[in-house]
Amino acid sequence: MINYPNGQKAPKKAPKKKPLSPTSLANRGMSFENLINQTNAYYRDSDRALITKRPTPIRVVKVDYSHGAKIKEAFFEKQSTADYNGIYRGKYLDFEVKSTLSKTSFPLANITIHQIEHLEKVIAHGGIAFFLIDFVAYQEVYLLDAKKVIEVFKFSKRRSIPYQDIKNHGHIIEEKINPSLDYLTVVDQLYF
Amino acid sequence: MINYPNGQKAPKKAPKKKPLSPTSLANRGMSFENLINQTNAYYRDSDRALITKRPTPIRVVKVDYSHGAKIKEAFFEKQSTADYNGIYRGKYLDFEVKSTLSKTSFPLANITIHQIEHLEKVIAHGGIAFFLIDFVAYQEVYLLDAKKVIEVFKFSKRRSIPYQDIKNHGHIIEEKINPSLDYLTVVDQLYF
């Protein structure tokens, strides 16, 4: 692990590689989103939780109905909520999943005010809200409570959260074979 | 209201019109889905509940990146979950919304086994699951507990639920100005 106690910028070269277990090597053949989807499928099939991905909203402009409905023109839209939601141990969960290539911080540039407001409302209604943040360079995934992100987003001028803060305030998710990213074990510790 | 106690098929002509209040006339300029979305926006803004629509899943085949990302070929996919979910009074809700032109029954043809299994799991995890069924011909909307639909879908040969059964087992939703379809008042009575 590389630390930057003096706030120095990370070097441009690749980080020193950690020795990897065959498991994490195998897992990392998959995108972060696929790892989460696989984990959720495992939770669903083992009746541990029911968590689903909200499909990417797409604005459809033109549809050709000549052979069934074929979309000919459409655009991706930004999610105004978070990526995933569901039920676990009778509680409502809502969370956003983000991957970053940065070695020094988690950028908030791709998070919208609508998503922040959505997560604030989740908390106000008694639900559980968090981010799963994948630091690709370190092959580390953290669960960070949404309150921390809301706080930085709304009450500071910073447009990112330092990696070191996430190490301190977040909780690392263990990568396993099945489920590949067992984030509910961290949810157990934090919210129950 | 036209009843069919003898199971007789509904006549093909338009049903006898109920006298309509200006409100329901105005509302019905909107699709059923829009009424639900408007209702959910009202619930969200008044902090009563946080309920969101899952976007229609779309399988993207071809994207043109020459001027931003423009989808050139894609197909609508079936929802494998229900249309809406969210949190209300600390509880997880999940429900499907269907409109029918039939005067005699609610057809199950557009409901998939994946949706039925999804709603079964919602109930098993302690969530609230139901259908909102719009009988367009009568301008009546019913909330029907998902257990009833699951039962018919899985344990009978019927591919529809008679209108009269829905009148007996379901709960009519009052149409108002704001929110237009106050289904949470029925949820209060049934599940709390």
Side-chain angles (χ1 to χ4, degrees):
Chain A
M1 203 57 44
I2 311 166
N3 290 326
Y4 301 97
N6 56 359
Q8 192 195 318
K9 245 190 134 191
K12 286 245 165 63
K13 64 184 172 68
K16 212 194 276 180
K17 285 223 181 68
K18 295 190 294 182
L20 295 174
S21 71
T23 313
S24 52
L25 270 175
N27 278 348
R28 286 312 175 134
M30 262 190 242
S31 74
F32 184 46
E33 189 182 296
N34 280 343
L35 287 183
I36 303 288
N37 292 343
Q38 192 197 61
T39 299
N40 289 340
Y42 180 88
Y43 288 151
R44 183 193 62 227
D45 296 343
S46 60
D47 286 326
R48 184 151 174 214
L50 186 63
I51 293 153
T52 55
K53 184 180 180 337
R54 291 181 171 105
T56 306
I58 289 175
R59 185 167 48 87
V60 174
V61 178
K62 212 188 308 174
V63 181
D64 171 7
Y65 289 101
S66 60
H67 302 85
K70 187 180 190 175
I71 298 164
K72 300 296 285 178
E73 190 180 334
F75 296 91
F76 295 104
E77 293 200 313
K78 284 220 170 201
Q79 201 72 269
S80 61
T81 58
D83 291 329
Y84 292 85
N85 72 350
I87 182 169
Y88 177 51
R89 292 175 66 179
K91 284 258 207 179
Y92 177 86
L93 292 185
D94 207 308
F95 60 96
E96 182 68 19
V97 156
K98 291 278 184 221
S99 238
T100 180
L101 295 171
S102 166
K103 290 164 207 146
T104 51
S105 67
F106 166 55
L108 304 182
N110 287 319
I111 298 166
T112 67
I113 182 68
H114 299 291
Q115 293 183 304
I116 292 292
E117 285 169 353
H118 174 80
L119 294 170
E120 279 186 301
K121 281 185 184 285
V122 167
I123 296 165
H125 284 283
I128 294 169
F130 54 85
F131 284 73
L132 293 181
I133 303 165
D134 176 30
F135 279 93
V136 176
Y138 304 125
Q139 300 211 348
E140 288 174 349
V141 175
Y142 290 88
L143 185 153
L144 184 66
D145 189 84
K147 285 196 202 87
K148 181 74 190 164
V149 181
I150 294 166
E151 190 190 297
V152 174
F153 193 97
K154 293 186 79 174
F155 305 111
S156 89
K157 294 247 181 273
R158 282 193 283 139
R159 296 293 77 175
S160 66
I161 302 178
Y163 171 66
Q164 202 55 48
D165 279 14
I166 290 172
K167 269 181 91 76
N168 294 341
H169 298 286
H171 301 265
I172 199 157
I173 312 288
E174 203 191 337
E175 295 203 26
K176 304 196 298 187
I177 293 183
N178 232 340
S180 31
L181 277 172
D182 188 18
Y183 62 90
L184 287 182
T185 297
V186 173
V187 168
D188 283 333
Q189 292 156 15
L190 286 181
Y191 300 102
F192 286 93
Chain B
M1 203 56 46
I2 311 167
N3 290 325
Y4 301 97
N6 56 358
Q8 192 196 318
K9 246 188 133 187
K12 288 240 165 64
K13 65 186 173 65
K16 211 195 274 179
K17 285 221 180 69
K18 295 193 293 183
L20 296 173
S21 71
T23 312
S24 51
L25 269 175
N27 278 347
R28 285 314 173 133
M30 263 190 239
S31 73
F32 184 45
E33 191 182 295
N34 280 343
L35 286 183
I36 303 288
N37 292 343
Q38 192 197 61
T39 298
N40 289 339
Y42 180 89
Y43 288 151
R44 183 193 62 227
D45 295 342
S46 59
D47 286 326
R48 185 154 173 209
L50 186 64
I51 294 153
T52 55
K53 185 180 178 338
R54 292 182 170 106
T56 306
I58 288 176
R59 185 166 50 87
V60 174
V61 179
K62 214 188 307 174
V63 182
D64 171 7
Y65 290 99
S66 59
H67 303 84
K70 187 179 189 176
I71 299 164
K72 299 296 285 178
E73 190 181 334
F75 296 91
F76 295 103
E77 293 199 313
K78 284 219 169 204
Q79 201 70 270
S80 61
T81 58
D83 291 329
Y84 293 85
N85 72 349
I87 182 169
Y88 177 52
R89 294 173 65 179
K91 284 257 207 179
Y92 177 85
L93 290 186
D94 207 309
F95 61 94
E96 181 67 19
V97 155
K98 291 277 183 222
S99 236
T100 180
L101 295 171
S102 166
K103 289 164 209 148
T104 51
S105 67
F106 166 55
L108 304 183
N110 287 321
I111 299 166
T112 67
I113 182 68
H114 300 291
Q115 293 183 305
I116 291 293
E117 284 169 355
H118 174 82
L119 294 171
E120 279 186 301
K121 281 184 184 286
V122 168
I123 296 165
H125 284 284
I128 295 169
F130 54 85
F131 284 73
L132 293 181
I133 303 165
D134 176 31
F135 279 93
V136 177
Y138 303 126
Q139 300 211 346
E140 288 174 350
V141 175
Y142 291 89
L143 185 153
L144 185 66
D145 189 84
K147 287 198 200 86
K148 181 73 191 167
V149 180
I150 293 166
E151 189 190 298
V152 174
F153 194 98
K154 293 186 78 174
F155 305 112
S156 88
K157 294 248 180 273
R158 281 194 282 137
R159 296 293 77 176
S160 67
I161 302 177
Y163 171 67
Q164 202 55 47
D165 279 16
I166 290 172
K167 269 182 90 76
N168 294 340
H169 297 285
H171 301 265
I172 199 157
I173 312 287
E174 204 191 335
E175 296 202 26
K176 304 197 296 186
I177 292 183
N178 232 341
S180 32
L181 277 172
D182 187 18
Y183 61 89
L184 287 181
T185 297
V186 173
V187 168
D188 282 332
Q189 292 157 16
L190 285 180
Y191 301 101
F192 287 92

